[in-house]
Amino acid sequence: MKDEAPRRRGPLGSVLVIIPTYNEVDNIRPIVERVRAAVPEAHVLVADDNSPDGTGKVADELAAEDDHVQVLHRRGKEGLGAAYLAGFRWGIEQGHGVLVEMDADGSHQPEELPRLLTALKGADLVLGSRWVPGGRVVNWPASRKALSRGGSTYSRVLLDIPIRDVTGGFRAFRRETLEGLDMAEVASQGYCFQVDLAHRAVRAGYQVVEVPITFVERERGDSKMSRDIVVEALWRVTAWGVGSRFRKLTGRRHT
């Protein structure tokens, strides 16, 4: 995806990897340690939604052991989108130049993060993509692959955005990109949150690049995917797509 005109980009700056958690007590230590090994200079923010299984306590232990790890304790389970938005605000306030989205369950491999950061040097937003050449998914049933591919295809066509993996959650943003997306207006949650941000970035003219990744299904803990998340994504994407087409038609009639 290319800008209308070349965009001047400065150095990336410090990297903050935001990891939202809810009941990830078995996963949080391994994933944080892998991030720190893959990109030693990166900082990690664990945004915990008051997990009843003790995830927040383990995160505090990690922060006590490593000055590159911080914990954002939230009042309760408010959804993926709210956790990331809180993490983005925290990271921007702390002066980080790159803000990364990453799941806690190991499905996003930290060892692939350097490739996303390298690509970000010439882009405004980099998406780790399962559905571009070179990308793949490990240990998913055919039904789950069909749901994910179908959701991305539906969003891409309806919203008219040239992104193959619209719902993926392994992403690296430049700080300036997030500051230009008017995050105060973002109210979507779940996987729809990912569609919302990607759509806003394309609509704002930012250069979005997809980098192939290998997505690995979690080995421990329970998936946060639910029927409500799917339903929310479907109706929101449909509303956005219909609204966009209506505005275009109305604009033509008034020209």
Side-chain angles (χ1 to χ4, degrees):
M1 286 161 250
K2 297 182 179 179
D3 295 318
E4 295 289 331
R7 187 187 300 275
R8 296 185 64 181
R9 301 180 181 86
L12 293 180
S14 61
V15 176
L16 177 69
V17 180
I18 303 167
I19 304 178
T21 55
Y22 185 78
N23 287 349
E24 297 287 358
V25 69
D26 294 327
N27 292 316
I28 188 59
R29 179 174 288 275
I31 199 67
V32 169
E33 290 176 348
R34 288 173 63 189
V35 170
R36 295 287 291 119
V39 186
E41 68 275 17
H43 295 256
V44 176
L45 177 67
V46 179
D48 185 63
D49 278 6
N50 197 23
S51 299
D53 71 345
T55 301
K57 181 176 182 295
V58 175
D60 284 336
E61 293 171 357
L62 288 165
E65 298 165 6
D66 186 344
D67 63 4
H68 275 51
V69 179
Q70 302 290 331
V71 185
L72 181 62
H73 291 283
R74 291 162 45 75
R75 289 178 297 179
K77 190 177 182 182
E78 298 177 3
L80 183 70
Y84 271 130
L85 290 173
F88 291 154
R89 287 190 292 269
W90 188 94
I92 289 171
E93 288 172 0
Q94 297 298 314
H96 293 288
V98 175
L99 298 104
V100 175
E101 297 182 12
M102 180 182 289
D103 287 350
D105 60 15
S107 56
H108 301 149
Q109 299 186 84
E111 294 76 18
E112 295 185 314
L113 179 55
R115 290 195 292 110
L116 272 67
L117 297 177
T118 296
L120 191 62
K121 293 177 181 178
D124 302 303
L125 166 60
V126 174
L127 311 180
S129 180
R130 299 160 290 185
W131 311 128
V132 296
R136 65 192 187 106
V137 172
V138 177
N139 295 332
W140 261 11
S143 59
R144 184 75 184 273
K145 288 182 181 179
L147 177 64
S148 180
R149 274 186 177 273
S152 280
T153 300
Y154 183 77
S155 300
R156 181 174 73 249
V157 172
L158 200 61
L159 300 177
D160 191 26
I161 51 177
I163 298 175
R164 305 296 297 182
D165 193 349
V166 188
T167 61
F170 192 11
R171 303 179 169 193
F173 293 84
R174 283 181 176 264
R175 169 190 180 139
E176 296 84 358
T177 304
L178 286 171
E179 290 176 326
L181 293 184
D182 196 4
M183 292 185 292
E185 291 187 358
V186 178
S188 49
Q189 296 296 327
Y191 291 89
C192 191
F193 171 78
Q194 309 296 7
V195 178
D196 193 354
L197 286 192
H199 182 216
R200 288 172 184 268
V202 171
R203 192 173 58 190
Y206 288 112
Q207 184 175 6
V208 183
V209 171
E210 291 185 87
V211 171
I213 62 167
T214 296
F215 181 98
V216 181
E217 176 64 342
R218 67 162 63 231
E219 295 181 355
R220 298 178 296 272
D222 298 321
S223 172
K224 306 305 186 293
M225 173 67 79
S226 69
R227 180 179 179 275
D228 288 345
I229 289 174
V230 174
V231 170
E232 184 211 15
L234 180 62
W235 79 257
R236 282 190 182 272
V237 169
T238 301
W240 293 334
V242 171
S244 176
R245 280 162 171 71
F246 178 78
R247 286 189 293 273
K248 288 180 180 178
L249 288 173
T250 302
R252 290 193 191 105
R253 288 171 184 160
H254 286 289
T255 56

